[in-house]
Amino acid sequence: MLLSSAFAALALALSQVRQASAHGGVLNYNIGGTMYKGFTPYNTPVGQISIQREWDTYDPITNPTSGTIPCNTNGANLGANQLSATVAAGSKVIAYWNPWPHTIGPVMVYMAKCPSSCTSATPSSLSWFKIDQAGLISGTLTSGTWAMGQLVSNNNSWTSTIPASLPAGEYMIRHELLALHTSNQPQFYPECAQLKVTGGGSSSPSSSYLVKFPGAYSTSDPGVTIDIYSQPTVTTYKIPGPAVWKG
Ligand SMILES: *[C@@H]1O[C@H](CO)[C@@H](O)[C@H](O)[C@H]1NC(C)=O
């Protein structure tokens, strides 16, 4: 009994060390005022019920063209346990991360219309548009304030608004952090969740706003492979991907 609880404590401690030394992702959402629990990584997907797609590791994706860039590793749907949050267009979505260890880099939020049900959709085949982004807020690349730092100061959370003119229907929402604290080695942390948008309008993003994952980014993008430490006087940062579609 004592031995088994000692083992349990050790296993818990090890998993916490592993998660702390790795990085993380979106654990919970507040969608239009309702809290939703995300998928719990490092646990079997069997029996998990969530609006979030499966993601299995706190580790970053370091290649912007990786097959896991759409919705993290492995981005699978939870079958009958895959939920979607019903929310009116124009509502706020707050994503909550674990205590986030990095403060340098942009925050980006995308949505994509699902052809029918989001549960049966393949994230890499969807056309994604950006609904929100923030990069270098003030100061220089080397020592300025970044959106990721604001996220950390704001209870490890980020608030976005679903465009009010978006047509009703099923959408995927994709939150992504791009950590830039390691010179010339980007770290991407995407997670996806499913929404059923109600109300809304009839405005849709034109093709210039739409991207695929992988496809939206390349290693040679100036905002992807960057050495922030060698640019102590530069006060601009080019966030990768398309322009934000405001509806
Ligand atoms: C801080 O984040 C947690 C989720 O990680 C949330 O439950 C809590 O309500 C948040 N606190 C505030 C003041 O927003």
Side-chain angles (χ1 to χ4, degrees), residues 28 35 96-97 155:
N28 299 290
M35 285 297 295
Y96 296 97
W97 282 258
N155 191 26

Side-chain angles (χ1 to χ4, degrees), residues 64-71 110-113 115 122-130 174 176 207-218 221 240-242:
T65 62
S66 163
T68 57
I69 200 83
C71 294
Y110 291 83
M111 288 180 73
K113 178 92 177 68
T122 304
S124 60
S125 71
L126 300 177
S127 294
W128 296 89
F129 52 96
K130 221 184 231 163
R174 176 180 181 277
E176 181 177 46
S207 59
S208 64
Y209 290 97
L210 300 175
V211 293
K212 300 281 185 197
F213 287 106
Y217 310 144
S218 86
D221 290 348

Side-chain angles (χ1 to χ4, degrees), residues 114-195:
C114 296
S116 53
S117 147
C118 279
T119 302
S120 59
T122 304
S124 60
S125 71
L126 300 177
S127 294
W128 296 89
F129 52 96
K130 221 184 231 163
I131 62 161
D132 192 15
Q133 68 178 8
L136 182 62
I137 307 289
S138 63
T140 68
L141 290 177
T142 307
S143 60
T145 297
W146 290 82
M148 204 178 291
Q150 289 193 328
L151 179 153
V152 170
S153 342
N154 194 18
N155 191 26
N156 306 295
S157 74
W158 193 262
T159 303
S160 312
T161 301
I162 299 171
S165 60
L166 195 67
E170 294 203 29
Y171 291 85
M172 207 75 90
I173 188 165
R174 176 180 181 277
H175 287 82
E176 181 177 46
L177 304 184
L178 167 52
L180 301 173
H181 56 280
T182 304
S183 301
N184 299 315
Q185 181 51 80
Q187 298 186 352
F188 296 89
Y189 301 90
E191 285 83 34
C192 298
Q194 299 189 183
L195 304 178

Side-chain angles (χ1 to χ4, degrees), residues 72-92:
N72 210 320
T73 308
N74 62 13
N77 72 67
L78 302 174
N81 287 341
Q82 183 69 57
L83 306 181
S84 296
T86 298
V87 61
S91 301
K92 285 193 174 8

